[in-house]
Amino acid sequence: MDAYGVTPTHATAAFAELLNWVEETADLTRPDRIHWVEGSDVEREALLADMVDSGALIKLDETLRPGSYLARSDERDVARLESRTFIASNSRDDAGPTNNWADPAEMRGRLTALFDGSMEGRTMYVVPFSMGKVGGPLSQIGVQITDSPYAVASISIMTRVGAEVTELIAGGSPWVRTIHSVGAPLDGSTPDVAWPSNDDKYIVHFPDTLEVMSFGSGYGGNAILAKKCFALRIASVQGRNDGWMAEHMLLIRVVSPEGRAYHVAAAFPSACGKTNLAMLRPTVPGWRVETLGDDIAWIRPGSDGRLYAINPEAGFFGVAPGTGVSTNITAVETLHRDVIFTNVALTDDGDVWWEGLTDEAPEHLIDWRGDDWTPDSGRPAAHPNSRFTVSAAQSPSIAPDWEEAVPLDAILFGGRRASNVPLVVEAFDWGHGVFMGSTISSERTAAAEGTVGELRRDPFAMMPFCGYNMADYFAHWVEMGEVASPPAIFQVNWFRKGTDGRFLWPGFGENSRVIEWVVRRIEGAAPAVDSPIGRLPEELNLDGIDVPQADLDELFAIDAEGWLAEADMTEAFYDTFGDRIPDALREQLAALRARLASPAS
C-alpha cells in the first residue's frame, strides 16, 4: 500500500495541532510507518487484500457473498469489556456509581507505559472520521490512531472517513482524540498472528478532555472507538455540556396509509428486539417503516421547538446469531455483499452461517474457532456475539434521506419483561416519560417465569454507555423536555408471558400494531384509558391475527401490588445516587405510589 497513506499538508495552526498529536503518539508507540487514511475505494480494497494475504481475513466466495470477508478473533477477545471500561473524570462523583471510575492522572501514567513501543513492527493508521454526514449541522468529528487494519476497515464502514474530515479539522472544527493499540508489538523474531491482542485490556474515556484510549483488544466497540466510546460515552458528555443528547436508540420513519410520516426513536437494552424494530416490515396493510438508524441517535432542539434526531453512524454493527429469514429478512437482505463478518461459521462453499440464519444447519461447517463442525458437535458454530459490519446505505429498508435530521414525534422505551409491564403504555407527559426511561429494566433468566424481582437495570438503555453520573444524565433528560413541543413517550414490552410461560404477544412484524396505535395517539385519533402507570389502549387493530381476549387482558393487566414492589426497587435504585437524583423523579415516584394506592386504581 505504498501508494497510499501519505501525510496531508495544510498550512493552518489547527492542522499543525493534529500533526503534533500524531507525531507525539508515534514517538511513544514507535510504529514502522504511519499511514494517513484518505478514504478512497482503491485504498480500502488494497487494505482488505493485504489482510487476506496476512491471514487476518478470509475472502468469501465472490459469487455467493461478493466483496465480503470473514475474520476470526482470538478466543479471549470476543466481546465488549465492561469490567475493563473506565470513565477517568477529574471527580469520582462525576462518573457516578454505575461507571468504573479511574483517576485520570494515574490512568494516563498506566496507559503511557502500556502504549510505550506497542506499535513496533506495525503500521500506525491515522483515521479522520465524521459521525453524521461530513459537515452536517448535528455531526461531530474525530481522529482514531490505531495499529489494527481490521479496525480501519470497520471504521470505514461505520463512519465517514478520509480527506474531507481532515480538511474540516485543518479549518478549525473541533474534534475528539481517540487512540487504540492491540498491544502486540513485533520485534522481528516472532511471527505475527491473524488476530493480535493483549490479555491486559483497557478502554478508557477522559470526559473532561474528550479523549478515548483503548489498549489490548481488537474487537468491536473496543477497537471501533467512534461507536460506543465516542458516539455515546464521550458524546453524552458533549451533549450535557452543549444542550443536546447522545442516546442508545434506533430511529425509524413510520408512514401511515394516508401518507403521513412520523419519526420514532426507541431505546431498548440488548436482546429486546431493537434491530428487528429498526427494520420492521409491518403486517398491517398500508403501513410502511423506513430505517434511519439501528443503534444510536443524537438529538438536538430545533428552532421550531421540536427535538430533531440523526443517526450518526454510517453502518450497522449487528449481532449475527438470531438474525434470520423468519426474524429479520431485511437484515439478511442487507448482508448480500460488502460485509465484514466476525466469528461466524464458514460453509464448505465459501459463504457464512450462524445459528438462526436458517432453520436447518448445514451438514458441515468450519466454526468460528477454525475447527470442523457438524450439527452433532454439541457447541455453537458461530460465537454468540459474532457480528456483521455493513453499510447502512445498502439496507432495502433505508430511508432515502437517512443522513438528514428528522423531527421526533415519539420516543419508545422497552425492556424484556415477562411480568408486570404491559404491551404498551403512554406516559402522561414528558416528566412521566423520563421517569419511565429511568426505570427500564429486564428480568434475568431466573425470573423468566414472571417473578417480579432480580431486575437488570438499564435506564434509557444507557447503563453501560453514559459517560457521566447517571443521576445528572436523568436531570439532563428532564431539562430537554422544556422545548415547546417535546415528543410523546411510550413504554413497550414485547415479551410479557402468561401464567403458563407462553409469550402473550406474537411480536416481530405484528409489533407494527403497537406502532399504529402510537401514531394514532399522536394524531389524536386513538382513545386511551388512564391507569396508575400511564395511558393504555382502549383497543388495538387485531385484524388478521388471533390473540385471545384472555391473553389481551393479561397483556394489559396492572397488578398494583407488583407495581408497588417495583416502586420500592426503583427507590432503592435511586438511593444509590444519593441526593443527585432530580427532585422531579422522586416526585414522579411518589405520584405513582399514590395512584397505585388510590381506591380508584
Side-chain angles (χ1 to χ4, degrees):
M1 295 183 63
D2 292 337
Y4 313 104
V6 298
T7 304
T9 55
H10 297 278
T12 68
F15 182 73
E17 181 182 347
L18 168 59
L19 192 60
N20 288 340
W21 175 67
V22 171
E23 290 173 348
E24 289 171 1
T25 304
D27 289 344
L28 174 65
T29 58
R30 300 192 293 279
D32 275 10
R33 63 186 292 266
I34 300 174
H35 178 116
W36 286 70
V37 173
E38 65 179 36
S40 68
D41 291 340
V42 176
E43 177 188 49
R44 173 177 164 76
E45 289 303 316
L47 180 74
L48 292 167
D50 281 356
M51 283 191 280
V52 171
D53 291 343
S54 71
L57 292 180
I58 297 169
K59 181 80 167 68
L60 299 177
D61 182 87
E62 189 62 22
T63 302
L64 297 173
R65 199 75 62 165
S68 299
Y69 301 84
L70 170 62
R72 295 187 183 125
S73 80
D74 185 278
E75 292 186 31
R76 296 164 297 181
D77 193 23
V78 295
R80 188 175 71 241
L81 299 168
E82 293 180 22
S83 65
R84 305 302 297 163
T85 300
F86 297 90
I87 302 297
S89 53
N90 291 335
S91 164
R92 180 191 290 268
D93 286 344
D94 285 345
T98 62
N99 283 314
N100 296 322
W101 179 77
D103 177 85
E106 179 184 332
M107 184 57 78
R108 282 188 190 278
R110 187 179 307 175
L111 290 172
T112 297
L114 288 171
F115 275 95
D116 187 7
S118 66
M119 297 187 187
E120 288 182 355
R122 301 194 181 277
T123 295
M124 185 179 95
Y125 298 92
V126 182
V127 191
F129 63 87
S130 177
M131 300 299 289
K133 68 177 184 178
V134 178
L138 275 65
S139 301
Q140 300 284 328
I141 58 178
V143 177
Q144 178 165 335
I145 290 174
T146 180
D147 56 4
S148 166
Y150 169 87
V152 176
S154 301
I155 297 163
S156 70
I157 296 173
M158 295 304 301
T159 74
R160 293 87 171 162
V161 306
E164 281 186 289
V165 182
T166 307
E167 291 170 5
L168 286 178
I169 294 173
S173 296
W175 53 283
V176 169
R177 304 179 182 206
T178 71
I179 304 174
H180 167 251
S181 174
V182 295
L186 298 169
D187 60 8
S189 63
T190 304
D192 201 1
V193 295
W195 190 274
S197 60
N198 191 305
D199 288 343
D200 201 6
K201 296 176 170 61
Y202 289 88
I203 304 97
V204 185
H205 308 74
F206 297 90
D208 297 291
T209 52
L210 305 181
E211 297 173 84
V212 181
M213 298 181 74
S214 176
F215 179 88
S217 172
Y219 196 86
N222 306 334
I224 311 170
L225 302 186
K227 193 165 176 56
K228 307 296 192 187
C229 292
F230 176 10
L232 289 179
R233 297 190 189 99
I234 293 296
S236 65
V237 173
Q238 292 177 298
R240 174 198 62 185
N241 295 343
D242 299 332
W244 54 281
M245 298 193 294
E247 298 301 324
H248 187 208
M249 289 181 171
L250 64 87
L251 190 60
I252 56 175
R253 172 179 294 134
V254 181
V255 183
S256 72
E258 299 80 22
R260 292 189 290 269
Y262 298 88
H263 298 102
V264 179
F268 296 163
S270 60
C272 292
K274 193 172 176 207
T275 303
N276 290 340
L277 182 57
M279 300 179 180
L280 183 70
R281 290 192 178 180
T283 57
V284 184
W287 289 81
R288 187 172 84 253
V289 168
E290 297 176 354
T291 306
L292 293 161
D294 78 324
D295 193 46
I296 297 173
W298 287 352
I299 303 170
R300 292 180 185 264
S303 58
D304 60 354
R306 302 183 70 185
L307 295 181
Y308 283 75
I310 64 164
N311 162 27
E313 299 188 289
F316 301 141
F317 180 66
V319 175
T323 302
V325 174
S326 61
T327 59
N328 194 335
I329 183 63
T330 304
V332 173
E333 292 176 354
T334 302
L335 304 175
H336 68 283
R337 64 175 304 122
D338 299 326
V339 190
I340 296 177
F341 296 96
T342 305
N343 289 344
V344 299
L346 181 67
T347 67
D348 292 343
D349 55 1
D351 200 3
V352 290
W353 189 86
W354 54 82
E355 281 71 18
L357 178 61
T358 58
D359 291 337
E360 297 292 330
E363 293 183 0
H364 177 264
L365 295 165
I366 301 298
D367 72 9
W368 70 275
R369 292 183 174 92
D371 298 329
D372 285 303
W373 183 94
T374 70
D376 298 325
S377 294
R379 64 181 190 275
H383 188 275
N385 193 42
S386 56
R387 296 279 180 160
F388 54 79
T389 311
V390 64
S391 170
Q394 70 185 45
S395 171
S397 65
I398 202 74
D401 58 345
W402 68 280
E403 295 185 288
E404 305 301 325
V406 297
L408 282 182
D409 298 289
I411 293 173
L412 310 183
F413 297 122
R416 179 179 281 268
R417 296 296 304 272
S419 66
N420 247 25
V421 179
L423 176 63
V424 59
V425 57
E426 180 186 5
F428 295 122
D429 52 31
W430 178 268
H432 183 224
V434 174
F435 172 73
M436 280 181 173
S438 74
T439 65
I440 291 299
S441 57
S442 293
E443 290 173 8
R444 300 182 186 275
T445 303
E449 283 71 39
T451 304
V452 176
E454 303 239 345
L455 298 180
R456 185 178 67 252
R457 294 281 172 180
D458 196 354
F460 299 90
M462 281 285 285
M463 182 76 93
F465 307 122
C466 186
Y468 61 104
N469 191 305
M470 285 207 86
D472 299 344
Y473 167 79
F474 297 163
H476 186 50
W477 260 89
V478 173
E479 294 165 358
M480 289 294 292
E482 293 173 0
V483 296
S485 302
I489 296 179
F490 299 80
Q491 184 173 357
V492 297
N493 176 30
W494 320 128
F495 304 100
R496 189 155 179 175
K497 291 184 177 181
T499 53
D500 56 2
R502 289 180 303 110
F503 285 114
L504 297 170
W505 182 249
F508 301 112
E510 304 301 352
N511 294 339
S512 58
R513 300 172 187 276
V514 173
I515 302 302
E516 178 187 24
W517 183 76
V518 166
V519 167
R520 296 309 190 199
R521 284 295 297 163
I522 294 167
E523 294 177 335
V529 179
D530 282 0
S531 81
I533 66 166
R535 298 188 178 106
L536 304 174
E538 271 195 11
E539 61 180 1
L540 291 175
N541 176 2
L542 301 178
D543 291 347
I545 63 170
D546 181 20
V547 180
Q549 186 60 49
D551 287 1
L552 283 173
D553 293 343
E554 206 166 350
L555 272 168
F556 290 102
I558 306 300
D559 175 13
E561 185 176 335
W563 274 97
L564 285 168
E566 291 225 7
D568 292 343
M569 289 186 284
T570 296
E571 182 174 28
F573 175 62
Y574 282 176
D575 286 346
T576 64
F577 298 95
D579 59 7
R580 291 178 88 122
I581 282 288
D583 290 341
L585 293 189
R586 298 276 190 190
E587 291 164 5
Q588 288 287 344
L589 179 59
L592 171 64
R593 283 174 163 150
R595 291 191 299 269
L596 290 165
S598 169
S601 67

